[in-house]
Every structure is written in structure tokens, then in C-alpha cells.
């Protein structure tokens, strides 16, 4: 069972049509069908009833789809967490600069100003 297969069954549930779900997932319809078949064979449960004109989930399929939606939300939360953690700036920064240039390149720290810049 893969995250991609879970995305496929959620898309199938939302679209209720193989071609539209495949388009939403940006895969071919045969590719989506094969992945659904592989997932159903792996878990030993039919997720969708394909005998009707309108694609409908089976009773167990509804539960599986609901769990897949929850898993996909969790995956998104993990992805967002990782992105946020990578973008945090942490740590200590040491900056070295010669004293004759520091008053001109670094703003005054701690309320002290360089004598040449002090207000009159």
C-alpha cells in the first residue's frame, strides 16, 4: 500500500469516474485502474463496486477511504512540519569586521552610536 494508491482511491471517491480521477491525479486511466486493482489484491477487499454505472465504494471501501483521507492529512502535516523546520533560522551568528569599518556597515547596537554619527 502506497501513499499514491491512497491518493488514487480518494480521487476516485471524489470524482466517481475513472477518467476524471485519473486526470485529477495526472496519470493515465489504465495506470490508475492497475494501481487500484493492485491495492485491492494486496488488502483482499474490493474498495469500489464497478458493476454499477456510477462508481460507488463498497461498505468496507467507505471505511478504507475515510482512513486514507486521514492518513493523507497526516502526511500533509508531516510535510508542512518538515518545510517549516527547514526554514527556521537557529543558532549563533558570529560576524567579524575590522573596527574602522564597523560603524558604517553595522547599525549601532545597544543604543550606542559612533561618535562621528552622534546627533548634535
Amino acid at each position: 500500500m502506497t501513499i499514491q494508491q491512497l491518493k488514487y482511491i480518494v480521487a476516485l471517491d471524489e470524482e466517481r469516474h475513472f477518467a476524471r480521477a485519473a486526470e485529477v491525479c495526472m496519470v493515465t486511466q489504465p495506470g490508475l485502474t492497475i494501481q487500484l486493482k493492485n491495492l485491492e489484491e494486496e488488502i483482499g477487499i474490493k474498495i469500489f463496486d464497478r458493476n454499477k454505472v456510477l462508481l460507488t465504494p463498497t461498505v468496507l471501501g467507505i471505511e478504507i477511504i475515510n482512513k486514507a483521507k486521514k492518513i493523507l492529512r497526516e502526511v500533509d502535516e508531516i510535510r508542512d512540519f518538515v518545510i517549516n523546520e527547514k526554514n527556521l533560522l537557529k543558532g549563533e551568528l558570529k560576524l567579524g569586521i575590522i573596527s574602522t569599518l564597523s560603524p558604517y556597515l553595522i547599525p549601532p547596537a545597544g543604543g550606542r552610536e559612533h561618535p562621528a554619527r552622534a546627533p548634535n
Side-chain angles (χ1 to χ4, degrees), residues 1-70:
M1 180 179 315
T2 67
I3 292 172
Q4 196 62 48
Q5 287 172 325
L6 299 179
K7 288 179 181 179
Y8 292 166
I9 64 171
V10 169
L12 279 166
D13 181 54
E14 290 171 357
E15 297 298 326
R16 301 292 170 109
H17 189 272
F18 276 95
R20 287 193 304 266
E23 189 175 317
V24 167
C25 295
M26 293 186 279
V27 296
T28 63
Q29 185 271 325
L32 184 127
T33 303
I34 290 168
Q35 287 301 314
L36 173 63
K37 182 177 180 247
N38 290 344
L39 177 59
E40 288 177 332
E41 286 176 359
E42 179 183 342
I43 63 176
I45 295 172
K46 289 287 183 192
I47 299 171
F48 291 95
D49 182 2
R50 298 185 221 16
N51 295 328
K52 299 179 181 176
V53 175
L54 181 64
L55 184 67
T56 54
T58 62
V59 173
L60 290 176
I62 292 170
E63 290 184 43
I64 293 168
I65 291 164
N66 289 334
K67 290 182 183 300
K69 288 177 181 178
K70 182 179 177 185

Side-chain angles (χ1 to χ4, degrees), residues 65-83:
I65 291 164
N66 289 334
K67 290 182 183 300
K69 288 177 181 178
K70 182 179 177 185
I71 290 167
L72 293 174
R73 281 192 302 273
E74 293 288 330
V75 167
D76 287 342
E77 286 179 23
I78 291 170
R79 184 177 299 112
D80 292 344
F81 171 77
V82 169
I83 289 169

